[in-house]
Amino acid sequence: WYQRRVREFQLSRIDLMTVGSTSMKSMKVLPNPPGRKMAQRIAVGDHNGVLTCFQMKRSDTVVDFKTLPGPKIERLELGGALGSLQEKIFISSGSEVRGFTKRGKQF
């Protein structure tokens, strides 16, 4: 018989951002342009209808934008023109779909 080596890790939780309750598939990481070192942006939609986009800068959380509360956000997807970065944010609430740029402007 052989001996099995087991590694044990000490994991701890770090809260980066606090948002309301969320649905599955309501958080995405926005892509960075190739070849550019930038902070990674994260978009989260919650049941209060608030879309929050934030990034990490030197271990600090920086909120890029936050929308006003509205209907419950059920899903968040990224999109854009074919062949380009998928950096437009689309959220669905019931039968309504709204789109936002990575800067927070609704289109």
Side-chain angles (χ1 to χ4, degrees):
W1 302 99
Y2 65 94
Q3 283 187 336
R4 184 190 224 188
R5 292 183 187 239
V6 177
R7 291 187 183 196
E8 292 186 21
F9 295 101
Q10 276 302 92
L11 301 176
S12 60
R13 177 177 130 176
I14 298 173
D15 293 333
L16 301 175
M17 171 72 63
T18 303
V19 297
S21 300
T22 60
S23 298
M24 291 180 66
K25 299 191 179 188
S26 64
M27 181 176 86
K28 296 283 183 187
V29 177
L30 279 70
N32 281 333
R36 293 195 57 194
K37 284 274 191 183
M38 297 173 61
Q40 201 77 57
R41 283 192 166 110
I42 299 156
V44 182
D46 64 22
H47 287 182
N48 297 326
V50 177
L51 172 63
T52 307
C53 187
F54 66 95
Q55 59 183 309
M56 295 299 296
K57 284 191 177 180
R58 296 189 194 125
S59 74
D60 290 330
T61 304
V62 178
V63 176
D64 289 335
F65 70 89
K66 228 176 186 182
T67 63
L68 294 173
K72 170 183 169 180
I73 296 174
E74 296 169 357
R75 183 133 178 190
L76 186 147
E77 286 294 333
L78 300 177
L82 292 175
S84 69
L85 285 178
Q86 304 290 298
E87 58 186 11
K88 302 253 191 270
I89 303 166
F90 294 92
I91 58 172
S92 67
S93 304
S95 61
E96 178 185 24
V97 176
R98 292 183 288 159
F100 294 87
T101 64
K102 64 181 180 180
R103 304 264 187 241
K105 290 188 175 184
Q106 187 173 353
F107 59 90

